[in-house]
Amino acid sequence: MEQVTIQTSRLKQIKLWFHRRYRVRHDREGKVTRMAAGAASLFSMLAMAIAIFGIPTGLGTFLDMLLLSSVNVALMIIVTYCLAYLFSMFYLPLPRRLLAIWTYIFIQMYIILYLTELGVEMSLCLSLLYSTCAILFGFMISGLISSRMRQIPKIMIVGMTAAFIGVLSVFSEWPTPEPLPSRSVDEVKIPSTIVKEMTSDPSVKGDYKVQSFNYGSGNDKHRSIFGNETDVLSTSVDASKYITEWSKLKKLFWGFDERAIPINGRVWMPVGEGEFPLVLIVHGNHLMEYFSDGGYSYLGELLASRGMIAVSVDANFFNFSVWSSLPNDDMKMRAWLMLKHLQHFQNMDIGLIANNPLQGRVDWAKVALIGHSRGGQAVAMAADKNRWFAEDKSFASLDEVNIESVVAIAPTDKVVDDKSANLSNINYLTIQGARDADVNVFYGDRQYNRTTFSEQSEKFKASLYIGNANHSQFNADWGRMDERLPGGILLNNVGMLEPESQRQIAKVYISAFLEATLHNKSEYKALFQDYRSGAGWLPDTKYVGKYEGAEFKEINRFESSNSKLTTTSGIGFFKNEIVSALDRDGNSKGTKGVVLQWDKAGATYEIQLTTELNNRLGDLSGGNLVFSIANMEWELLASYNEETNSKDTEKVGNSPSKELQMLPSLPELEIVITNHAGQETSLNLNDFMPVQSPMYASFLSMGFLEHYVKDNKYKHAAEAAMHTYIIPVESFIKEGDSNAVDTADNNSDQEMKSIVFRFKNNLGKVMIDDIGFMPQGGSYVEYN
C-alpha cells in the first residue's frame, strides 16, 4: 500500500513538473521577442509562397496559394508551440518561441533546398543563413515598432536599409555567376560576306491559309478543347499492357487510368485541295499540372501555312507531378502514344471518323515527327518502332506509313529496355541550346551518330548547337526557367536569348529542314551546311553545326575499319591520340576522333590516302573536302584539371609551370592538299571560317553553387561540339593558279595523295573527326 502511494506521489510530481514547464514556456519572452517571432514568420510564408509554384495541385494558382499557405501557417503554429514546450523542458535560457520559429524556418528551408537538389551541406548552410536573416529581420521590425519614433522616420529607416542592401549587392557584385574563362587575345571575326544568303526565308508564313481544329476524348476534366467542346471525337486506347504503375492521385486528377489513355491533339492544316505531309509534334516532361501541348502553336501555324498538316500531341498525363510522380516506362509510352496518334490520323484519313476535315488529305509517304526534351527521344524511338514494339500486332497498319524525317529539340537519350534508337535512311535534325540547364548534355549528338544512310539514299542529318539558348524557351508555355521553382530562381538568365529570338531559330531551322525533306526543296540544305546562308533571318548569337549527307564519301572516321585505307602521322604534338568523343558528363557520344594538342606553332597532322581510297572517292573536280572539328581549349586550363584531377592534359608542353590561367588564341589552321605529282594547294581556314570558341556557360546566378547543385551537374562550363566544314576543292586554288587537286581526266598524278592540317598558332587542343569528300552537286552553299 505504501509503495502504491509513493508511485502515485511520483506521478503527481512528474505531472506537476510538466505542467510547470508548460506554464513557463514563454517566461523568457518579451514584447520585442514576440514581435520579432511574428515578423520572422514572414520569411517562412515567403519561402512557401515561392515553393508553391513548383508543387501545383491543379486547382489553380490562387487556390494553391490559399490552401498550401494555410497548411504552412497551421503547421508553423503547431510545430512552434510544441518546440517551445520542448525547449522549456530542457531549461533553455532563451526566448523559446523565437527559437522555435527559427528552428521551424531552418527545417522548412532545408527541406525546400534539399528537394531542389542543393545537397546536404549547402542546404544546411543556406538554411542556417536564411533562418538567421529571418530572426535579424524580426528584431529590426520589432525594434522599429517598439520605438517611439514617428511613422515617417520608421519608414525611412526601412527604405534606407533596403537601399543599402541593394547598393551593397550591386557594388560587391554578389551574387555573381561563376566567371567564365577569359582569353588572352581577341577572337577572330567570322567572315560573313563570302557566303551568299538564301533568298527565301523559311520562317516567313507561306501562301496557304490555315485552318485549325482539335480532337480529343470528349471527357477531359481540365481543357474544354479536348472535353465537351472538342471538334473531333477520338477513341481512348488501352496502355495496360505496358503501364503497371498509375497512381490513384493521377487518376483522381485526370479522371482516367492506364486503361483509357486519351488521344488528344491540336491541328493546324492548310486550306486547299490535295494531300499534304503530316508533322506530329510532342512536348517533353514538364510539371503535369502546367499543360505543355499549346506551346508549339508558333510552329504549327507556320508549317500549315507552308503546306503541311501540323499536330501538337497531348502527352501531359505522362508527365511528372510532385503529388503523383510518373507512370512507369514513360519514355516508351511517349513513343507508343505517337504511334497511336498516327493510327488515329489513318482512321480520319480513310473516313472511319465522321465529320473530320482530314479525310483524304494526308500524304502518308511524307510523315515527320518533332519532339522536345523527352519527346525528342520519343520521336526517334517511334521512328524505330520495331525495336520496341515488334510484337505489338496492333501497329500493323503503320507498315504503310513512311516516316521521312525526325526533329529532336534538346532531346534526352536514355537507354530503354537496354536499347537505343537507330535511324536508317531517315532525315534527322537535332538542335540544342548551350545554356540548357535542364538537359545540359547534348544528347542529340548520340542519335546523330546512330543515324545512317545507304549510298543510294538522298537523306541527310544535321545538328545545331546554339549560343545563349536554353531548354524551356522552345516551348512558348514553359517560360524562361529550365527548372521549376524554387530552383528556377537560382538560374543565370543574364545574356540569355529572348524567348522570341530563340523560337525564331527553331522556326528557321525546323521549317527549312521540313521544306528540304518533305517538299524536296533541296536549296534549303545550304542552311545546314553553313549557317551563314541564313544569317539574315537568324538572331545574333553563336552557331555550331554538323552536317552529313548520304553522298558523303569517307576518308577517315578514326574507327578501326579505316586503318587500311589511310595512314596518319603527326609532328610537333604533345598529344596525338584517337579517343571516344565525350559529352559534358564524360560519357561516350558513340563516335571516335583524333585529339591533337600542341604547344608550338607548326604542328602538322597528315593523312595519306591509298590508291584504293582514291578510286572510291572518284572525280574530285567540283567536289568538297569535308571534316568536323571541335575546339577543346578549356582542357588546357589549370582550373579544369584541378576539378577533373586530369593527369593526361594537366600540363601544356613538358613543364607544369605552363598550366594556363587564361585561354590561348583560337586555333589558326592551314589545310594543305597534295597530289601524286607533288603539287600543293592550301587554304587558311581563318579566311573561310575560323575554328570557333567553345560556348561557355555559367548556369547559376550564384556561381559558388555550381559545384553543389544536382550532384555537380554544372561543373563544366563547356561541352565539345563539333562543327562541320564543307570546303569546295576550288577554294584551295590560289588566284592565277591553274593546278587543281584533281582534273576531269582522272590522271593518277592528280589524285589526292595527302591532306595536312597545319596549326600555325602556338598552343591549342582540338578533336577532328569525319574527314571525307562530298562530290559535285552535294553542296548547296553559294560562295562569293
Side-chain angles (χ1 to χ4, degrees), residues 380-400:
M381 292 173 64
D384 189 22
K385 66 180 187 303
N386 289 334
R387 196 171 299 276
W388 288 274
F389 305 109
E391 297 180 2
D392 193 331
K393 303 306 179 185
S394 69
F395 290 132
S397 66
L398 295 180
D399 292 340
E400 303 172 6

Side-chain angles (χ1 to χ4, degrees), residues 487-554:
I489 61 177
L490 299 176
L491 297 178
N492 173 27
N493 289 325
V494 177
M496 192 84 71
L497 283 173
E498 290 299 317
E500 287 302 318
S501 296
Q502 187 166 322
R503 290 192 280 274
Q504 171 66 12
I505 297 170
K507 288 196 291 185
V508 168
Y509 271 87
I510 293 173
S511 176
F513 181 72
L514 297 180
E515 288 282 14
T517 60
L518 301 183
H519 286 157
N520 300 319
K521 295 183 178 180
S522 56
E523 63 270 20
Y524 280 111
K525 291 183 180 180
L527 178 68
F528 306 97
Q529 295 176 346
D530 193 322
Y531 76 88
R532 293 174 293 183
S533 298
W537 320 315
L538 294 169
D540 183 18
T541 190
K542 288 185 177 181
Y543 300 90
V544 168
K546 288 200 296 182
Y547 177 93
E548 185 176 313
E551 70 279 356
F552 174 83
K553 295 186 177 182
E554 174 188 342

Side-chain angles (χ1 to χ4, degrees), residues 495-757:
M496 192 84 71
L497 283 173
E498 290 299 317
E500 287 302 318
S501 296
Q502 187 166 322
R503 290 192 280 274
Q504 171 66 12
I505 297 170
K507 288 196 291 185
V508 168
Y509 271 87
I510 293 173
S511 176
F513 181 72
L514 297 180
E515 288 282 14
T517 60
L518 301 183
H519 286 157
N520 300 319
K521 295 183 178 180
S522 56
E523 63 270 20
Y524 280 111
K525 291 183 180 180
L527 178 68
F528 306 97
Q529 295 176 346
D530 193 322
Y531 76 88
R532 293 174 293 183
S533 298
W537 320 315
L538 294 169
D540 183 18
T541 190
K542 288 185 177 181
Y543 300 90
V544 168
K546 288 200 296 182
Y547 177 93
E548 185 176 313
E551 70 279 356
F552 174 83
K553 295 186 177 182
E554 174 188 342
I555 292 176
N556 201 332
R557 290 191 191 271
F558 301 99
E559 309 290 342
S560 57
S561 59
N562 300 332
S563 57
K564 295 181 180 179
L565 300 177
T566 62
T567 57
T568 62
S569 60
I571 300 174
F573 291 106
F574 173 68
K575 185 171 185 177
N576 174 358
E577 184 180 3
I578 296 174
V579 298
S580 293
L582 303 180
D583 62 27
R584 193 188 298 267
D585 288 341
N587 298 316
S588 174
K589 293 189 176 189
T591 187
K592 291 182 178 180
V594 60
V595 171
L596 302 173
Q597 179 180 333
W598 66 99
D599 58 0
K600 290 181 181 179
T604 58
Y605 185 79
E606 182 176 13
I607 301 174
Q608 295 189 338
L609 287 67
T610 63
T611 301
E612 180 185 353
L613 180 55
N614 267 293
N615 291 336
R616 290 188 185 184
L617 296 180
D619 183 10
L620 302 185
S621 59
N624 304 267
L625 176 67
V626 180
F627 64 92
S628 295
I629 188 168
N631 188 352
M632 301 173 66
E633 60 185 14
W634 72 88
E635 293 191 3
L636 302 174
L637 296 174
S639 58
Y640 171 84
N641 296 296
E642 288 169 4
E643 292 170 3
T644 58
N645 296 316
S646 171
K647 295 181 180 177
D648 294 327
T649 60
E650 63 182 0
K651 299 180 181 64
V652 180
N654 298 315
S655 171
S657 63
K658 290 188 178 181
E659 286 185 347
L660 298 181
Q661 304 301 324
M662 297 182 70
L663 295 170
S665 61
L666 292 174
E668 186 177 348
L669 179 57
E670 180 186 25
I671 304 169
V672 181
I673 298 177
T674 306
N675 62 21
H676 281 278
Q679 298 168 332
E680 290 186 357
T681 54
S682 64
L683 175 86
N684 188 341
L685 201 60
N686 281 4
D687 297 334
F688 184 82
M689 178 188 284
V691 177
Q692 295 190 47
S693 167
M695 297 181 194
Y696 297 104
S698 183
F699 290 100
L700 300 180
S701 57
M702 299 181 183
F704 67 93
L705 293 178
E706 294 220 343
H707 299 287
Y708 297 93
V709 171
K710 295 181 178 291
D711 195 25
N712 211 2
K713 176 179 179 177
Y714 304 128
K715 62 183 176 182
H716 296 316
E719 177 170 354
M722 289 278 187
H723 184 79
T724 299
Y725 287 80
I726 301 173
I727 307 175
V729 171
E730 283 80 0
S731 298
F732 288 82
I733 302 174
K734 296 180 181 179
E735 186 176 354
D737 187 351
S738 60
N739 293 324
V741 176
D742 193 11
T743 59
D745 60 7
N746 287 323
N747 186 320
S748 60
D749 285 343
Q750 296 298 324
E751 289 180 347
M752 193 183 301
K753 179 183 178 182
S754 69
I755 304 170
V756 172
F757 296 87

Side-chain angles (χ1 to χ4, degrees), residues 93-359:
L94 295 168
R96 294 163 192 142
R97 178 164 27 198
L98 186 64
L99 182 60
I101 285 288
W102 179 88
T103 305
Y104 179 84
I105 296 172
F106 174 81
I107 294 172
Q108 177 197 41
M109 202 62 194
Y110 174 78
I111 293 171
I112 291 172
L113 294 177
Y114 182 77
L115 294 178
T116 307
E117 300 182 65
L118 259 67
V120 174
E121 292 180 6
M122 189 54 62
S123 296
L124 286 171
C125 292
L126 293 181
S127 300
L128 179 63
L129 177 64
Y130 186 82
S131 55
T132 302
C133 287
I135 297 301
L136 294 176
F137 171 80
F139 274 117
M140 184 187 76
I141 297 299
S142 176
L144 286 173
I145 293 174
S146 302
S147 72
R148 296 181 179 181
M149 283 191 296
R150 293 180 180 180
Q151 200 70 16
I152 293 178
K154 291 180 181 180
I155 294 173
M156 290 178 63
I157 289 173
V158 172
M160 291 173 64
T161 303
F164 174 76
I165 293 172
V167 170
L168 184 65
S169 175
V170 170
F171 283 95
S172 65
E173 297 184 351
W174 189 93
T176 56
E178 187 84 358
L180 298 178
S182 56
R183 193 176 302 281
S184 55
V185 295
D186 293 336
E187 294 185 16
V188 180
K189 290 185 178 181
I190 297 175
S192 57
T193 56
I194 68 169
V195 177
K196 292 182 180 179
E197 292 187 16
M198 294 185 293
T199 57
S200 179
D201 181 354
S203 68
V204 173
K205 287 189 176 181
D207 297 330
Y208 287 95
K209 292 183 178 180
V210 177
Q211 173 187 357
S212 62
F213 69 92
N214 308 299
Y215 61 91
S217 65
N219 300 316
D220 195 283
K221 292 172 59 178
H222 305 283
R223 298 159 296 173
S224 60
I225 62 168
F226 303 139
N228 55 11
E229 296 180 10
T230 195
D231 299 305
V232 177
L233 282 174
S234 60
T235 303
S236 297
V237 289
D238 185 356
S240 59
K241 178 179 177 181
Y242 300 97
I243 298 177
T244 59
E245 298 173 10
W246 190 278
S247 73
K248 292 181 179 179
L249 284 176
K250 193 174 286 289
K251 182 177 181 180
L252 177 65
F253 180 84
W254 289 108
F256 59 82
D257 60 15
E258 71 276 13
R259 291 182 290 273
I261 301 297
I263 301 297
N264 301 331
R266 305 166 186 253
V267 181
W268 300 269
M269 61 180 292
V271 176
E273 297 299 321
E275 296 180 343
F276 298 99
L278 176 64
V279 181
L280 266 60
I281 309 168
V282 66
H283 58 83
N285 185 38
H286 197 59
L287 283 174
M288 180 187 77
E289 294 83 1
Y290 296 145
F291 308 129
S292 302
D293 53 287
Y296 306 104
S297 59
Y298 73 98
L299 284 177
E301 292 171 0
L302 172 64
L303 298 179
S305 75
R306 300 181 76 90
M308 304 171 221
I309 301 168
V311 186
S312 181
V313 169
D314 171 28
N316 289 286
F317 35 81
F318 288 152
N319 279 358
F320 174 79
S321 169
V322 173
W323 310 101
S324 59
S325 191
L326 288 161
N328 68 295
D329 250 348
D330 79 289
M331 274 310 317
K332 185 193 291 188
M333 295 318 299
R334 293 171 196 271
W336 178 89
L337 184 66
M338 294 296 283
L339 300 175
K340 288 298 179 183
H341 275 263
L342 285 175
Q343 290 186 311
H344 174 70
F345 276 88
Q346 283 183 317
N347 292 337
M348 284 199 287
D349 187 49
I350 62 178
L352 290 181
I353 298 176
N355 301 320
N356 84 84
L358 276 174
Q359 186 170 344

Side-chain angles (χ1 to χ4, degrees), residues 416-431:
V416 178
D417 297 342
D418 297 323
K419 304 170 189 174
S420 297
N422 286 270
L423 302 182
S424 177
N425 291 326
I426 296 175
N427 299 291
Y428 183 73
L429 169 67
T430 181
I431 60 179

